[in-house]
Amino acid sequence: MASFYLIFYLIFFFLTPFSADLKQIQGEDEPYVGVNIGTDVSNMLPPSDLVSFLQLQNINHVRIYDVDPNLLKALAHTKIRVIIGVPNNQLIAIGSSNATAASWVDRNVAAFYPETDIIAIAVGDEVLTTVPSTAPVLLPAIESIYSALVATNLHNDIKVSTPHSASLILDPFPPSQAFFNTSMSQFLVPIVKFLSKTKSPLMMNLYPYYVFMENKGVVPLDNALFKPLTPSKEMVDPNTLLHYMNVYDAMIDSAYFSMKNLNVTDVVVLVSETGWPSKGDSKEPYATIDNSDTYNSNLIKHVFDRTGTPFHPEITSSAYVYELFNEDLRSTPLSEANWGLFYGNTTPVYLLHVSGSGTFLANDTTNKTYCVAMDGIDTKTLQTALDWACGPGRANCSEIQPGEPCYQPNNVKNHASYAFDSYYQMEGQAPDSCDFKGVAMLTTSDPSHGSCVFPGSKREGNSAPEVVNSTQVASEACSNPSRLLSSLVDSHVISLCTFSISLLFFQLVLWH
């Protein structure tokens, strides 16, 4: 049976018309992460201050839902790339008149380009699923905008597309069975053909949050948050045998397979919206700061890792995080007002952990992370890791000795957490220095307690942690009978003594 599946997969792989054109269509640009900017915000920043904030945060790609002339002027000469939008309420006018479309492009595009780097126009937003009555004018509006760009010779520099809701795709998992809603085929098929003809992206608003909420008990939370999965929890497409480690990639591939069913294989998916709310009402218990931080941090790293998707590993979709600011003027449910990375006053809602993902977003917690012991690890395994950290790892373990500030609570997990964090900070917070064979994890929550200040906290306070050779600490305890006697109750010191004595014996053997 296994050989049958292997043969089936190989046949599928080689006969499926993977398009080498996808990489060429994306061009030389590396995949990027941008942000959506909504304006339902109390005391919205003036355009000049908003642009300064974007530059401070190293945000180089933004999508706005309307055209604000003052903002477009402020973005001039900044190298920030912009997707501008045609609001849904303007589609009928633009789709019914080429002259109206030409006027719109002259007023909102040609007047600012190239000083302001407009890279695309999003015509409408989720029109086919939210305002289906406008569906008949969507393609005419897209074509009219494109024709106006051709007339001004901007069609090669500025792409034209329209963002779609993920709900437009039916039977999305497994991805190989996905297809666009056939009731919208008369509108959607010519739109996808237009995108292929003009080498424009398929814009998709993809929210694993909603997939998880609608399928609790079926879709694991970790799968929606990009967290590592055990093989038993991976989603496997039975038709292709492709393994999906996260919901996000599965949603992108469902779009690719849906286009493939229309015989279109040369259109790149651009994720025009994605994110996770940081606060919700009683019906949304998973809308939390921790989950929002985890999703967006992992999303950013996922895009910059450039691993593509299981179906198209050669192409990585760029993504726009929804959204820059919490839109506090939004109505219920509560989560509607809590998708932002920042509050309207530019204070971060939480500190993203995007270490190693370039300079995107200055509110990185690279210098505010701690390494601690995981929950649920057995004491013996933790003890082994602790012994290594305080011995060969040369972590500073003086603070967890009897009578010292971090000795209490006197348990292996507490002592291991301190030792792990000491080693992690000593190694410059290198991501692979917080592993200890899978028993440690990174956290943005300060584990300090009472008078016990963890090394990461000392670093934040700009007071360098005391560097003490833990082997020397153990040697001192072993050579000082009174200290050794007071330390015998602590198995950690005994382990260090054992290590120190073994090391001394090994040195004597070498000497002789």
Side-chain angles (χ1 to χ4, degrees), residues 5 94 102 215 376-377 441 468 472:
Y5 279 119
I94 290 175
N215 298 276
I377 305 298
M441 67 178 186
V468 179
Q472 292 176 347

Side-chain angles (χ1 to χ4, degrees), residues 119-156:
I119 61 171
I121 300 172
V123 181
D125 187 44
E126 300 189 353
V127 174
L128 299 182
T129 49
T130 58
V131 281
S133 60
T134 312
V137 299
L138 179 57
L139 180 61
I142 292 172
E143 292 177 327
S144 294
I145 291 290
Y146 181 76
S147 296
L149 291 176
V150 171
T152 53
N153 200 31
L154 296 178
H155 60 292
N156 290 321

Side-chain angles (χ1 to χ4, degrees), residues 63-354:
R63 176 189 169 208
I64 57 179
Y65 292 88
D66 202 342
V67 176
D68 180 346
N70 293 324
L71 178 56
L72 291 181
K73 285 180 183 177
L75 286 165
H77 307 293
T78 62
K79 296 184 179 179
I80 295 175
R81 296 183 170 186
V82 190
I83 294 178
I84 62 175
V86 177
N88 289 347
N89 60 13
Q90 296 182 26
L91 291 180
I92 293 178
I94 290 175
S96 304
S97 167
N98 287 335
T100 301
S103 175
W104 192 93
V105 168
D106 286 341
R107 186 173 63 255
N108 298 310
V109 182
F112 302 100
Y113 187 85
E115 289 78 15
T116 299
D117 194 358
I118 299 170
I119 61 171
I121 300 172
V123 181
D125 187 44
E126 300 189 353
V127 174
L128 299 182
T129 49
T130 58
V131 281
S133 60
T134 312
V137 299
L138 179 57
L139 180 61
I142 292 172
E143 292 177 327
S144 294
I145 291 290
Y146 181 76
S147 296
L149 291 176
V150 171
T152 53
N153 200 31
L154 296 178
H155 60 292
N156 290 321
D157 301 315
I158 301 174
K159 301 301 181 182
V160 183
S161 187
T162 182
H164 298 291
S165 166
S167 62
L168 189 64
I169 298 174
L170 303 183
D171 202 9
F173 194 86
S176 62
Q177 294 179 191
F179 60 95
F180 289 120
N181 189 333
T182 53
S183 68
M184 289 292 173
S185 294
Q186 59 177 315
F187 308 117
L188 190 59
V189 171
I191 288 175
V192 174
K193 299 290 185 182
F194 169 86
L195 299 178
S196 175
K197 176 182 176 182
T198 60
K199 295 181 172 56
S200 299
L202 175 72
M203 295 180 175
M204 296 296 303
N205 296 341
L206 304 179
Y207 289 97
Y209 171 74
Y210 290 123
V211 172
F212 169 74
M213 290 296 291
E214 293 166 6
N215 298 276
K216 292 194 296 291
V218 177
V219 175
L221 179 61
D222 286 353
N223 196 279
L225 294 173
F226 295 96
K227 287 186 176 181
L229 299 173
T230 59
S232 63
K233 290 186 177 181
E234 292 177 10
M235 299 185 296
V236 180
D237 188 323
N239 301 316
T240 63
L241 300 186
L242 295 175
H243 287 237
Y244 287 88
M245 301 294 290
N246 59 78
V247 174
Y248 178 82
D249 281 349
M251 295 182 80
I252 292 176
D253 276 356
S254 71
Y256 278 124
F257 276 104
S258 295
M259 287 192 288
K260 183 175 178 291
N261 286 332
L262 302 180
N263 295 317
V264 173
T265 59
D266 59 354
V267 173
V268 173
V269 171
L270 172 66
V271 181
S272 41
E273 286 182 14
T274 190
W276 196 286
S278 61
K279 190 176 182 180
D281 55 32
S282 59
K283 295 181 180 179
E284 296 182 286
Y286 298 95
T288 66
I289 282 181
D290 283 345
N291 286 343
S292 183
D293 184 356
T294 299
Y295 179 83
N296 284 321
S297 296
N298 286 339
L299 166 76
I300 292 165
K301 288 186 282 191
H302 188 66
V303 172
F304 286 122
D305 281 347
R306 299 193 293 273
T307 54
T309 64
F311 187 49
H312 277 303
E314 80 282 8
I315 189 78
T316 297
S317 294
S318 295
Y320 287 80
V321 175
Y322 186 84
E323 57 186 329
L324 183 61
F325 298 121
N326 273 351
E327 293 188 87
D328 59 309
L329 300 180
R330 290 266 184 172
S331 58
T332 54
L334 183 61
S335 61
E336 278 296 299
N338 291 280
W339 289 84
L341 301 174
F342 298 88
Y343 295 105
N345 63 3
T346 72
T347 302
V349 176
Y350 47 80
L351 296 173
L352 285 166
H353 183 187
V354 291

Side-chain angles (χ1 to χ4, degrees), residues 402 407 474-491 493-494 497:
Y407 178 71
S475 297
E476 182 180 338
C478 297
S479 62
N480 187 327
S482 61
R483 181 172 181 182
L484 177 58
L485 186 60
S486 65
S487 302
L488 285 177
V489 294
D490 189 0
S491 62
V493 174
I494 296 174
C497 289

